[in-house]
Amino acid sequence: MQAANTGKRTVISIRPVFDSDRPKVYLETYGCQMNVNDSEVVVAIMQKAGYSVTKNIGDANLILINTCSVRDNAEQRVWGRLEYFRQEKKKRPNVSIGLIGCMAERLKESLLENNIVDVVVGPDAYRELPKLVEKTESGQKGINVLLSRDETYSDISPVRLDKTGVTAFISIMRGCNNVCAFCVVPYTRGGERSRNPETVLRELKELSDNGYREVTLLGQNVDSYSWKDVTFAGLLAMVAESAPEMRVRFSTSHPRDMTDDVLKTMAKYGNICNYIHLPVQSGSSAILQSMNRKYTREEYLQRIKTIREIMPDCAVSTDIIAGFCGETQKDHEDTLSLMREVGYDFAYMFKYSERPNTKAARHFKDDVPEDVKIRRLTEIIELQSELSLTSHKKDVGSIVEVLVEDTSKRSENDLCGRTPQNKTVVFPKGNNKIGDLVKIKITDCSQATLKGFAISGLLT
Ligand code: SF4
């Protein structure tokens, strides 16, 4: 980490080092936000071990793939990349290839049998990476897939790999104790452990010192965050108070564990965004029970009702699985009717993909035919498109606050960013720039995006 003396105070640089003299690591990341943040921890560990970062595969001494196992197609993508890296290895036999993350944890030693992969490291063993990579220099293989009860990497300042330096993640905890029947996470990331709030505030200050404008607190289930007597609501308040100039978001919440205190804390602090990602997975209580989600349809809807009572303008998104084991047409219709009742702003929607060794794989038959899964998923996606469009139409004519995150993908004359409700807005650049907080008058929308123009005067 390089310290810049700004006359008044020392700012720790948290950006990657691109140094031609050092050995170079090239890193590809797949999967969730947690994996994105883990890759930033991995780069910090490798930089401390003398490596620098490269975006060019051909220059890399070490190629790392941070993998995801949440669905079969996530792993299939990695197998495809490994075939590509097999060619790289043929051209440059001395390059080391490492497979890390959830797939490494799930498949372990079997990944060393394909003459491509030299190092396999699970999500809790990244501190071992430099030593294991060193072994490969003498032609040996390296592996560590031990899960930990207390590893949180809380002493490590992640090296931020994002392009624009506006938004960043802080992992406040690791692992999950919920064991939902369809999910591999408890097997690939282990049990829950929370970070000392002081280390979260240290990382927050590093982000603020480096000009970041928004932070997202990450956990598989943030609502079960717990450090001595500090609950998630307590941590959220500490973060909001410590960086009043920064927007605060968090993900992922759990319907059974979310407390009214969290909602009241959100309502109390203006810099905590009025947006909640609250996975429901299914609208049928029978399916929720076999999924081991530990709440019913009615309890979920009650949670939504409480959210709207405490924060009437809070946006809500969710996760939905179509075609879980034993799902009937009636169960599917329960999911559609719940979506209508909630009126989600956005949703991540998937068809059930059986994951080995999960509770569902061990106890249930994956009995919903593929064509039925696809038809039900299509109906869910179509309904959500309507709901998202309805949500966006309500914003037309309003003035929203947008944090500019990047240039629009469609036109370099346009900028894009998100509202506190996590809605994407595209608008003509004018004199605004990335990192600005801008007032936008919304004039039009699609189901995916809001469109408008900046009205005078930056917010800050
Ligand atoms: S809450 Fe359930 S779905 Fe989410 S990570 Fe934990 S086990 Fe997986």
Side-chain angles (χ1 to χ4, degrees):
M1 293 289 136
Q2 282 146 352
N5 195 330
T6 61
K8 294 188 286 321
R9 55 190 171 82
T10 302
V11 173
I12 301 283
S13 165
I14 50 177
R15 301 302 285 175
V17 174
F18 297 97
D19 177 336
S20 53
D21 299 334
R22 297 186 187 187
K24 294 172 197 52
V25 57
Y26 168 88
L27 177 57
E28 272 180 22
T29 303
Y30 296 87
C32 65
Q33 298 170 327
M34 206 84 185
N35 252 11
V36 172
N37 193 226
D38 276 1
S39 288
E40 297 176 329
V41 167
V42 165
V43 169
I45 291 169
M46 295 314 291
Q47 282 194 174
K48 194 151 178 254
Y51 275 75
S52 67
V53 176
T54 179
K55 290 185 177 156
N56 181 359
I57 294 172
D59 292 343
N61 306 85
L62 172 65
I63 294 171
L64 291 177
I65 316 168
N66 190 359
T67 61
C68 169
S69 270
V70 75
R71 276 172 293 281
D72 184 51
N73 58 10
E75 292 192 356
Q76 292 313 321
R77 282 179 70 194
V78 172
W79 287 119
R81 285 308 276 162
L82 283 177
E83 281 315 309
Y84 176 86
F85 293 134
R86 183 194 294 278
Q87 305 315 315
E88 190 65 27
K89 203 158 178 83
K90 272 202 190 124
K91 279 188 283 176
R92 301 186 302 121
N94 293 335
V95 67
S96 297
I97 296 179
L99 201 137
I100 65 175
C102 292
M103 193 175 161
E105 190 63 46
R106 196 178 79 73
L107 296 174
K108 302 182 171 44
E109 283 77 6
S110 69
L111 290 162
L112 294 172
E113 292 157 9
N114 54 40
N115 293 326
I116 312 171
V117 178
D118 305 296
V119 175
V120 172
V121 181
D124 287 350
Y126 294 147
R127 292 179 198 272
E128 293 286 298
L129 252 177
K131 235 183 6 213
L132 294 167
V133 170
E134 211 175 299
K135 283 175 74 174
T136 67
E137 285 153 18
S138 55
Q140 295 174 66
K141 302 274 185 183
I143 183 162
N144 187 329
V145 286
L146 289 176
L147 286 173
S148 163
R149 289 181 188 287
D150 46 31
E151 179 60 89
T152 60
Y153 304 113
S154 59
D155 59 316
I156 296 175
S157 299
V159 169
R160 305 296 167 171
L161 302 173
D162 62 288
K163 222 173 56 182
T164 58
V166 176
T167 69
F169 301 125
I170 297 183
S171 296
I172 61 170
M173 60 190 297
R174 297 179 73 81
C176 189
N177 290 353
N178 279 323
V179 198
C180 299
F182 52 81
C183 185
V184 287
V185 171
Y187 310 98
T188 59
R189 285 184 167 274
E192 275 163 17
R193 59 227 106 122
S194 298
R195 281 176 65 175
N196 176 338
E198 296 311 317
T199 68
V200 173
L201 298 182
R202 185 212 73 231
E203 206 174 313
L204 183 70
K205 183 173 180 319
E206 286 165 6
L207 290 171
S208 171
D209 286 351
N210 280 273
Y212 280 80
R213 304 300 310 275
E214 179 182 290
V215 65
T216 300
L217 306 180
L218 293 181
Q220 310 292 351
N221 172 8
V222 292
D223 293 305
S224 56
Y225 172 90
S226 162
W227 178 272
K228 297 183 177 143
D229 57 356
V230 181
T231 62
F232 181 54
L235 178 71
L236 205 46
M238 290 162 89
V239 168
E241 279 170 18
S242 310
E245 79 292 353
M246 288 179 81
R247 275 183 174 181
V248 180
R249 298 183 185 277
F250 56 87
S251 189
T252 297
S253 303
H254 193 285
R256 186 205 54 192
D257 303 328
M258 176 177 262
T259 63
D260 292 5
D261 280 354
V262 168
L263 302 176
K264 290 174 185 151
T265 305
M266 291 177 74
K268 181 176 172 194
Y269 294 94
N271 61 331
I272 301 179
C273 294
N274 50 345
Y275 162 69
I276 292 174
H277 181 60
L278 196 66
V280 67
Q281 307 297 2
S282 170
S284 151
S285 291
I287 294 294
L288 289 171
Q289 182 161 19
S290 53
M291 283 178 165
N292 194 29
R293 289 291 289 171
K294 303 185 181 100
Y295 53 84
T296 62
R297 174 193 174 96
E298 291 68 30
E299 286 161 342
Y300 184 90
L301 290 170
Q302 181 53 48
R303 183 48 50 205
I304 294 289
K305 190 162 170 287
T306 310
I307 290 171
R308 298 219 161 118
E309 279 161 7
I310 297 174
M311 287 177 294
D313 63 352
C314 186
V316 180
S317 66
T318 196
D319 295 344
I320 294 174
I321 294 175
F324 184 69
C325 316
E327 186 188 74
T328 63
Q329 180 58 24
K330 169 72 176 59
D331 295 322
H332 171 58
E333 283 157 15
D334 286 346
T335 298
L336 297 173
S337 65
L338 179 136
M339 289 172 71
R340 287 191 197 92
E341 197 164 335
V342 175
Y344 288 113
D345 299 277
F346 184 77
Y348 299 91
M349 302 155 282
F350 310 96
K351 60 183 167 67
Y352 175 59
S353 164
E354 184 181 86
R355 306 310 291 135
N357 298 324
T358 55
K359 208 169 177 193
R362 283 180 276 126
H363 301 295
F364 306 140
K365 208 163 165 301
D366 183 6
D367 56 3
V368 178
E370 194 60 18
D371 62 330
V372 175
K373 283 183 186 175
I374 293 168
R375 174 177 56 73
R376 289 178 184 169
L377 178 61
T378 307
E379 288 173 17
I380 288 168
I381 291 172
E382 282 166 4
L383 173 55
Q384 186 53 50
S385 302
E386 287 169 32
L387 297 173
S388 297
L389 185 59
T390 306
S391 156
H392 282 173
K393 279 187 174 161
K394 287 185 204 143
D395 296 309
V396 175
S398 70
I399 293 170
V400 295
E401 173 206 89
V402 171
L403 175 59
V404 182
E405 290 174 37
D406 210 340
T407 304
S408 158
K409 291 193 188 70
R410 296 235 172 117
S411 156
E412 58 186 36
N413 301 321
D414 291 346
L415 293 173
C416 70
R418 286 173 294 151
T419 68
Q421 289 187 324
N422 206 38
K423 295 180 180 177
T424 301
V425 180
V426 174
F427 63 96
K429 195 173 185 172
N431 300 329
N432 301 296
K433 60 188 185 316
I434 292 174
D436 287 350
L437 211 50
V438 187
K439 270 191 245 171
I440 305 290
K441 168 93 179 181
I442 302 299
T443 53
D444 194 4
C445 69
S446 68
Q447 57 102 2
T449 313
L450 296 171
K451 297 187 183 82
F453 59 87
I455 54 177
S456 63
L458 284 181
L459 286 163
T460 50

